[in-house]
Amino acid sequence: MPKYFAQEPNGRYAIVIHGGAGTMNPNMEESLKQTYLNSLTEALKIGQEILTSGGSSLDAVEKVVIYLEDDSLFNAGRGAVFTSEGNNELDASIMDGRDLSSGAVAGVTIIKNPISLARLVKEKTTHVLFAGKGADDLGKKLGVDIVDPSYFFVYERYEELERKMEKTKGTVGCVAIDQNGNISAATSTGGLSGKMPGRVGDTPIINAGTYANNKTCGVSATGIGELFVKNAACYQVSVLMEYEGYTLKQAAEEVIFKVLPDGSGGMISVDKNYNYEFTFNTPSMMRGVATSDGVFEVKMWK
């Protein structure tokens, strides 16, 4: 498969992150709000540093998502929500816009950082998606960090905090374009709180929850996964740009405000010209951006 439009280093980059879209209470305690903003800031700095030093967008999105997976504030990795049976089943995917190569895992239960296993699926196998026990076994074989399932039970000891944060925990994602013009996207989640065991949403589905193509854009989604799957939401942004001549802003808004129903979620995106967008039809979406033009900001509400 051809590599699309990789360039010589140009000194430019853009990186966007999200920590989930939803209905965060704007009147939440200031200390909790600052905790979220601080975490988003730290995650963004990790990606910014990689891109500033000439690193790849693929490395940047993976490292950022690892940080967010390790931070129990978010519904990914350590902070993953529980199924209806009280277990944790984690999903993640990553995509490289140079050649559309992709890797994903669904329903893993012992993988500390699902996004890293997703990248290894992309680079060490001829497949795209591994699920359940097969994915866990692959993680062992490929040497990723394995944890006891109890690692994800962090909030059982903090029931009050869990109740307070129940509506604020979201999927995490990152999209970046590096100095070579290469676009990458990554998304990770614990899924829907109280979901039926085995349920899989959009996060590990390439085209639905994650997409990257150097010809157009990179996108990471968050929200009601079933709706993003039915509409191939992330891919649809790229299609509108490539075949209908939409700008990134027009394409993302078409999908979020016209294709998807109100309250269904949001997406972050960057295009091949280093533009970026945050598009969501919910009251809040935790998000951040850093660019080579000096932009650096994190936000939670509209």
Side-chain angles (χ1 to χ4, degrees), residues 35-72:
T35 301
Y36 274 113
L37 292 174
N38 290 344
S39 184
L40 292 169
T41 298
E42 286 306 308
L44 201 51
K45 283 180 179 175
I46 290 168
Q48 181 187 41
E49 195 172 306
I50 291 169
L51 296 171
T52 302
S53 63
S56 73
S57 59
L58 196 65
D59 285 343
V61 299
E62 181 193 10
K63 297 301 184 198
V64 167
V65 171
I66 286 173
Y67 177 86
L68 295 169
E69 286 177 339
D70 288 345
D71 186 336
S72 54

mmCIF file of all heavy atoms in Angstrom, residues 35-72:
data_model
loop_
_atom_site.group_PDB
_atom_site.id
_atom_site.type_symbol
_atom_site.label_atom_id
_atom_site.label_comp_id
_atom_site.label_asym_id
_atom_site.label_seq_id
_atom_site.Cartn_x
_atom_site.Cartn_y
_atom_site.Cartn_z
ATOM 1 N N THR A 35 -7.879 19.284 38.834
ATOM 2 C CA THR A 35 -7.243 17.967 38.700
ATOM 3 C C THR A 35 -7.342 17.476 37.256
ATOM 4 O O THR A 35 -6.370 16.972 36.674
ATOM 5 C CB THR A 35 -7.896 16.956 39.655
ATOM 6 O OG1 THR A 35 -7.760 17.429 40.993
ATOM 7 C CG2 THR A 35 -7.231 15.592 39.553
ATOM 8 N N TYR A 36 -8.520 17.640 36.676
ATOM 9 C CA TYR A 36 -8.708 17.245 35.278
ATOM 10 C C TYR A 36 -7.850 18.091 34.337
ATOM 11 O O TYR A 36 -7.159 17.562 33.460
ATOM 12 C CB TYR A 36 -10.177 17.393 34.883
ATOM 13 C CG TYR A 36 -11.015 16.189 35.208
ATOM 14 C CD1 TYR A 36 -12.010 16.247 36.172
ATOM 15 C CD2 TYR A 36 -10.826 14.980 34.529
ATOM 16 C CE1 TYR A 36 -12.786 15.136 36.476
ATOM 17 C CE2 TYR A 36 -11.591 13.869 34.822
ATOM 18 C CZ TYR A 36 -12.577 13.956 35.798
ATOM 19 O OH TYR A 36 -13.324 12.850 36.085
ATOM 20 N N LEU A 37 -7.900 19.394 34.507
ATOM 21 C CA LEU A 37 -7.143 20.279 33.622
ATOM 22 C C LEU A 37 -5.642 20.031 33.726
ATOM 23 O O LEU A 37 -4.920 20.068 32.726
ATOM 24 C CB LEU A 37 -7.470 21.739 33.941
ATOM 25 C CG LEU A 37 -8.904 22.181 33.605
ATOM 26 C CD1 LEU A 37 -9.162 23.592 34.104
ATOM 27 C CD2 LEU A 37 -9.163 22.095 32.101
ATOM 28 N N ASN A 38 -5.169 19.749 34.947
ATOM 29 C CA ASN A 38 -3.742 19.454 35.143
ATOM 30 C C ASN A 38 -3.347 18.180 34.418
ATOM 31 O O ASN A 38 -2.268 18.095 33.810
ATOM 32 C CB ASN A 38 -3.423 19.333 36.635
ATOM 33 C CG ASN A 38 -3.507 20.666 37.356
ATOM 34 O OD1 ASN A 38 -3.520 21.716 36.731
ATOM 35 N ND2 ASN A 38 -3.584 20.619 38.685
ATOM 36 N N SER A 39 -4.210 17.164 34.475
ATOM 37 C CA SER A 39 -3.907 15.902 33.817
ATOM 38 C C SER A 39 -3.880 16.072 32.298
ATOM 39 O O SER A 39 -2.973 15.571 31.620
ATOM 40 C CB SER A 39 -4.934 14.838 34.213
ATOM 41 O OG SER A 39 -4.579 13.600 33.652
ATOM 42 N N LEU A 40 -4.860 16.783 31.768
ATOM 43 C CA LEU A 40 -4.875 17.053 30.327
ATOM 44 C C LEU A 40 -3.630 17.826 29.904
ATOM 45 O O LEU A 40 -3.036 17.551 28.849
ATOM 46 C CB LEU A 40 -6.134 17.845 29.952
ATOM 47 C CG LEU A 40 -7.475 17.113 30.082
ATOM 48 C CD1 LEU A 40 -8.623 18.098 29.931
ATOM 49 C CD2 LEU A 40 -7.594 16.000 29.045
ATOM 50 N N THR A 41 -3.218 18.779 30.734
ATOM 51 C CA THR A 41 -2.020 19.577 30.436
ATOM 52 C C THR A 41 -0.777 18.698 30.390
ATOM 53 O O THR A 41 0.050 18.814 29.462
ATOM 54 C CB THR A 41 -1.844 20.682 31.498
ATOM 55 O OG1 THR A 41 -2.982 21.552 31.449
ATOM 56 C CG2 THR A 41 -0.581 21.492 31.248
ATOM 57 N N GLU A 42 -0.634 17.812 31.366
ATOM 58 C CA GLU A 42 0.536 16.924 31.402
ATOM 59 C C GLU A 42 0.557 16.006 30.184
ATOM 60 O O GLU A 42 1.612 15.785 29.567
ATOM 61 C CB GLU A 42 0.544 16.103 32.695
ATOM 62 C CG GLU A 42 0.940 16.892 33.927
ATOM 63 C CD GLU A 42 2.274 17.604 33.755
ATOM 64 O OE1 GLU A 42 3.268 16.940 33.377
ATOM 65 O OE2 GLU A 42 2.329 18.835 33.966
ATOM 66 N N ALA A 43 -0.604 15.461 29.828
ATOM 67 C CA ALA A 43 -0.683 14.578 28.666
ATOM 68 C C ALA A 43 -0.274 15.316 27.398
ATOM 69 O O ALA A 43 0.501 14.805 26.573
ATOM 70 C CB ALA A 43 -2.104 14.027 28.527
ATOM 71 N N LEU A 44 -0.786 16.532 27.248
ATOM 72 C CA LEU A 44 -0.487 17.332 26.067
ATOM 73 C C LEU A 44 0.995 17.655 25.968
ATOM 74 O O LEU A 44 1.593 17.622 24.881
ATOM 75 C CB LEU A 44 -1.318 18.620 26.135
ATOM 76 C CG LEU A 44 -1.584 19.393 24.847
ATOM 77 C CD1 LEU A 44 -2.136 18.489 23.753
ATOM 78 C CD2 LEU A 44 -2.545 20.539 25.139
ATOM 79 N N LYS A 45 1.612 17.950 27.106
ATOM 80 C CA LYS A 45 3.053 18.260 27.123
ATOM 81 C C LYS A 45 3.882 17.077 26.633
ATOM 82 O O LYS A 45 4.902 17.263 25.952
ATOM 83 C CB LYS A 45 3.489 18.645 28.536
ATOM 84 C CG LYS A 45 3.097 20.062 28.948
ATOM 85 C CD LYS A 45 3.565 20.347 30.370
ATOM 86 C CE LYS A 45 3.217 21.759 30.819
ATOM 87 N NZ LYS A 45 3.567 21.977 32.243
ATOM 88 N N ILE A 46 3.459 15.856 26.977
ATOM 89 C CA ILE A 46 4.191 14.662 26.533
ATOM 90 C C ILE A 46 4.221 14.607 25.011
ATOM 91 O O ILE A 46 5.268 14.410 24.387
ATOM 92 C CB ILE A 46 3.542 13.392 27.119
ATOM 93 C CG1 ILE A 46 3.783 13.326 28.629
ATOM 94 C CG2 ILE A 46 4.081 12.138 26.429
ATOM 95 C CD1 ILE A 46 2.948 12.266 29.340
ATOM 96 N N GLY A 47 3.060 14.789 24.390
ATOM 97 C CA GLY A 47 2.994 14.756 22.933
ATOM 98 C C GLY A 47 3.710 15.918 22.296
ATOM 99 O O GLY A 47 4.415 15.761 21.289
ATOM 100 N N GLN A 48 3.566 17.091 22.884
ATOM 101 C CA GLN A 48 4.214 18.292 22.357
ATOM 102 C C GLN A 48 5.728 18.130 22.324
ATOM 103 O O GLN A 48 6.395 18.491 21.347
ATOM 104 C CB GLN A 48 3.828 19.505 23.201
ATOM 105 C CG GLN A 48 4.430 20.810 22.719
ATOM 106 C CD GLN A 48 4.173 21.960 23.674
ATOM 107 O OE1 GLN A 48 4.260 21.797 24.892
ATOM 108 N NE2 GLN A 48 3.841 23.117 23.135
ATOM 109 N N GLU A 49 6.274 17.572 23.394
ATOM 110 C CA GLU A 49 7.723 17.389 23.483
ATOM 111 C C GLU A 49 8.232 16.465 22.388
ATOM 112 O O GLU A 49 9.260 16.724 21.744
ATOM 113 C CB GLU A 49 8.073 16.823 24.869
ATOM 114 C CG GLU A 49 9.538 16.913 25.213
ATOM 115 C CD GLU A 49 9.798 16.534 26.661
ATOM 116 O OE1 GLU A 49 9.173 17.123 27.563
ATOM 117 O OE2 GLU A 49 10.618 15.629 26.874
ATOM 118 N N ILE A 50 7.503 15.380 22.138
ATOM 119 C CA ILE A 50 7.899 14.437 21.089
ATOM 120 C C ILE A 50 7.885 15.116 19.720
ATOM 121 O O ILE A 50 8.822 14.988 18.932
ATOM 122 C CB ILE A 50 6.969 13.205 21.100
ATOM 123 C CG1 ILE A 50 7.199 12.369 22.362
ATOM 124 C CG2 ILE A 50 7.189 12.346 19.850
ATOM 125 C CD1 ILE A 50 6.162 11.290 22.600
ATOM 126 N N LEU A 51 6.833 15.861 19.452
ATOM 127 C CA LEU A 51 6.685 16.497 18.139
ATOM 128 C C LEU A 51 7.665 17.653 17.951
ATOM 129 O O LEU A 51 8.204 17.845 16.854
ATOM 130 C CB LEU A 51 5.248 16.981 17.957
ATOM 131 C CG LEU A 51 4.193 15.872 17.931
ATOM 132 C CD1 LEU A 51 2.794 16.464 17.961
ATOM 133 C CD2 LEU A 51 4.364 14.970 16.708
ATOM 134 N N THR A 52 7.913 18.411 19.007
ATOM 135 C CA THR A 52 8.855 19.525 18.931
ATOM 136 C C THR A 52 10.255 19.033 18.586
ATOM 137 O O THR A 52 10.994 19.673 17.839
ATOM 138 C CB THR A 52 8.901 20.287 20.274
ATOM 139 O OG1 THR A 52 7.598 20.753 20.590
ATOM 140 C CG2 THR A 52 9.836 21.486 20.200
ATOM 141 N N SER A 53 10.606 17.870 19.133
ATOM 142 C CA SER A 53 11.951 17.328 18.905
ATOM 143 C C SER A 53 12.046 16.533 17.605
ATOM 144 O O SER A 53 13.062 15.872 17.344
ATOM 145 C CB SER A 53 12.353 16.435 20.085
ATOM 146 O OG SER A 53 11.490 15.321 20.185
ATOM 147 N N GLY A 54 11.003 16.594 16.787
ATOM 148 C CA GLY A 54 11.056 15.933 15.482
ATOM 149 C C GLY A 54 10.575 14.503 15.493
ATOM 150 O O GLY A 54 10.731 13.776 14.499
ATOM 151 N N GLY A 55 9.969 14.070 16.612
ATOM 152 C CA GLY A 55 9.466 12.705 16.717
ATOM 153 C C GLY A 55 8.223 12.486 15.872
ATOM 154 O O GLY A 55 7.642 13.424 15.325
ATOM 155 N N SER A 56 7.819 11.227 15.779
ATOM 156 C CA SER A 56 6.689 10.865 14.918
ATOM 157 C C SER A 56 5.353 11.075 15.611
ATOM 158 O O SER A 56 5.232 10.968 16.834
ATOM 159 C CB SER A 56 6.808 9.400 14.488
ATOM 160 O OG SER A 56 6.505 8.535 15.574
ATOM 161 N N SER A 57 4.339 11.354 14.800
ATOM 162 C CA SER A 57 2.982 11.488 15.339
ATOM 163 C C SER A 57 2.519 10.172 15.952
ATOM 164 O O SER A 57 1.768 10.165 16.935
ATOM 165 C CB SER A 57 2.016 11.927 14.237
ATOM 166 O OG SER A 57 1.992 11.010 13.168
ATOM 167 N N LEU A 58 2.983 9.042 15.410
ATOM 168 C CA LEU A 58 2.591 7.735 15.951
ATOM 169 C C LEU A 58 3.094 7.566 17.385
ATOM 170 O O LEU A 58 2.350 7.130 18.272
ATOM 171 C CB LEU A 58 3.121 6.618 15.054
ATOM 172 C CG LEU A 58 2.503 5.233 15.259
ATOM 173 C CD1 LEU A 58 1.025 5.237 14.891
ATOM 174 C CD2 LEU A 58 3.254 4.191 14.439
ATOM 175 N N ASP A 59 4.364 7.928 17.615
ATOM 176 C CA ASP A 59 4.908 7.866 18.976
ATOM 177 C C ASP A 59 4.159 8.822 19.896
ATOM 178 O O ASP A 59 3.854 8.496 21.044
ATOM 179 C CB ASP A 59 6.395 8.227 18.977
ATOM 180 C CG ASP A 59 7.270 7.115 18.427
ATOM 181 O OD1 ASP A 59 6.802 5.968 18.335
ATOM 182 O OD2 ASP A 59 8.436 7.400 18.083
ATOM 183 N N ALA A 60 3.854 10.006 19.384
ATOM 184 C CA ALA A 60 3.194 11.019 20.205
ATOM 185 C C ALA A 60 1.823 10.556 20.668
ATOM 186 O O ALA A 60 1.493 10.646 21.856
ATOM 187 C CB ALA A 60 3.087 12.331 19.438
ATOM 188 N N VAL A 61 1.006 10.055 19.746
ATOM 189 C CA VAL A 61 -0.352 9.668 20.144
ATOM 190 C C VAL A 61 -0.332 8.467 21.094
ATOM 191 O O VAL A 61 -1.130 8.396 22.029
ATOM 192 C CB VAL A 61 -1.280 9.403 18.931
ATOM 193 C CG1 VAL A 61 -1.422 10.666 18.090
ATOM 194 C CG2 VAL A 61 -0.819 8.240 18.085
ATOM 195 N N GLU A 62 0.592 7.537 20.868
ATOM 196 C CA GLU A 62 0.675 6.383 21.779
ATOM 197 C C GLU A 62 1.078 6.822 23.182
ATOM 198 O O GLU A 62 0.459 6.425 24.181
ATOM 199 C CB GLU A 62 1.671 5.342 21.264
ATOM 200 C CG GLU A 62 1.739 4.122 22.193
ATOM 201 C CD GLU A 62 2.907 3.184 21.932
ATOM 202 O OE1 GLU A 62 3.820 3.550 21.149
ATOM 203 O OE2 GLU A 62 2.922 2.087 22.521
ATOM 204 N N LYS A 63 2.121 7.640 23.288
ATOM 205 C CA LYS A 63 2.618 8.051 24.613
ATOM 206 C C LYS A 63 1.582 8.879 25.365
ATOM 207 O O LYS A 63 1.439 8.753 26.591
ATOM 208 C CB LYS A 63 3.923 8.844 24.473
ATOM 209 C CG LYS A 63 5.080 8.056 23.873
ATOM 210 C CD LYS A 63 5.428 6.822 24.677
ATOM 211 C CE LYS A 63 6.656 6.128 24.096
ATOM 212 N NZ LYS A 63 6.771 4.722 24.571
ATOM 213 N N VAL A 64 0.868 9.745 24.655
ATOM 214 C CA VAL A 64 -0.169 10.545 25.299
ATOM 215 C C VAL A 64 -1.269 9.640 25.847
ATOM 216 O O VAL A 64 -1.716 9.797 26.991
ATOM 217 C CB VAL A 64 -0.756 11.567 24.308
ATOM 218 C CG1 VAL A 64 -2.045 12.179 24.864
ATOM 219 C CG2 VAL A 64 0.257 12.663 24.027
ATOM 220 N N VAL A 65 -1.700 8.691 25.046
ATOM 221 C CA VAL A 65 -2.786 7.814 25.489
ATOM 222 C C VAL A 65 -2.318 6.912 26.635
ATOM 223 O O VAL A 65 -3.091 6.641 27.567
ATOM 224 C CB VAL A 65 -3.350 7.009 24.305
ATOM 225 C CG1 VAL A 65 -4.333 5.935 24.795
ATOM 226 C CG2 VAL A 65 -4.060 7.950 23.329
ATOM 227 N N ILE A 66 -1.071 6.475 26.624
ATOM 228 C CA ILE A 66 -0.545 5.699 27.763
ATOM 229 C C ILE A 66 -0.673 6.512 29.043
ATOM 230 O O ILE A 66 -1.111 5.990 30.078
ATOM 231 C CB ILE A 66 0.934 5.309 27.524
ATOM 232 C CG1 ILE A 66 1.037 4.196 26.487
ATOM 233 C CG2 ILE A 66 1.597 4.868 28.835
ATOM 234 C CD1 ILE A 66 2.456 3.882 26.067
ATOM 235 N N TYR A 67 -0.309 7.782 28.992
ATOM 236 C CA TYR A 67 -0.411 8.638 30.177
ATOM 237 C C TYR A 67 -1.858 8.695 30.674
ATOM 238 O O TYR A 67 -2.127 8.576 31.870
ATOM 239 C CB TYR A 67 0.094 10.043 29.867
ATOM 240 C CG TYR A 67 -0.044 10.993 31.040
ATOM 241 C CD1 TYR A 67 0.952 11.078 32.011
ATOM 242 C CD2 TYR A 67 -1.184 11.770 31.200
ATOM 243 C CE1 TYR A 67 0.816 11.922 33.106
ATOM 244 C CE2 TYR A 67 -1.330 12.621 32.290
ATOM 245 C CZ TYR A 67 -0.329 12.685 33.242
ATOM 246 O OH TYR A 67 -0.473 13.514 34.328
ATOM 247 N N LEU A 68 -2.794 8.863 29.758
ATOM 248 C CA LEU A 68 -4.204 8.968 30.137
ATOM 249 C C LEU A 68 -4.752 7.622 30.622
ATOM 250 O O LEU A 68 -5.612 7.584 31.509
ATOM 251 C CB LEU A 68 -5.018 9.503 28.962
ATOM 252 C CG LEU A 68 -4.669 10.949 28.556
ATOM 253 C CD1 LEU A 68 -5.328 11.310 27.226
ATOM 254 C CD2 LEU A 68 -5.070 11.945 29.641
ATOM 255 N N GLU A 69 -4.249 6.522 30.056
ATOM 256 C CA GLU A 69 -4.654 5.193 30.529
ATOM 257 C C GLU A 69 -4.177 4.959 31.963
ATOM 258 O O GLU A 69 -4.856 4.282 32.749
ATOM 259 C CB GLU A 69 -4.083 4.098 29.622
ATOM 260 C CG GLU A 69 -4.769 3.966 28.281
ATOM 261 C CD GLU A 69 -4.124 2.918 27.381
ATOM 262 O OE1 GLU A 69 -2.940 2.576 27.614
ATOM 263 O OE2 GLU A 69 -4.780 2.464 26.435
ATOM 264 N N ASP A 70 -3.018 5.487 32.288
ATOM 265 C CA ASP A 70 -2.452 5.278 33.625
ATOM 266 C C ASP A 70 -3.070 6.195 34.672
ATOM 267 O O ASP A 70 -2.874 6.000 35.873
ATOM 268 C CB ASP A 70 -0.932 5.508 33.595
ATOM 269 C CG ASP A 70 -0.185 4.395 32.874
ATOM 270 O OD1 ASP A 70 -0.787 3.317 32.653
ATOM 271 O OD2 ASP A 70 0.987 4.606 32.526
ATOM 272 N N ASP A 71 -3.807 7.220 34.207
ATOM 273 C CA ASP A 71 -4.439 8.175 35.108
ATOM 274 C C ASP A 71 -5.883 7.740 35.338
ATOM 275 O O ASP A 71 -6.695 7.765 34.428
ATOM 276 C CB ASP A 71 -4.399 9.569 34.486
ATOM 277 C CG ASP A 71 -4.897 10.642 35.431
ATOM 278 O OD1 ASP A 71 -5.680 10.314 36.347
ATOM 279 O OD2 ASP A 71 -4.527 11.814 35.255
ATOM 280 N N SER A 72 -6.216 7.356 36.572
ATOM 281 C CA SER A 72 -7.532 6.774 36.841
ATOM 282 C C SER A 72 -8.680 7.780 36.772
ATOM 283 O O SER A 72 -9.830 7.437 37.020
ATOM 284 C CB SER A 72 -7.522 6.083 38.205
ATOM 285 O OG SER A 72 -7.081 6.965 39.211
#
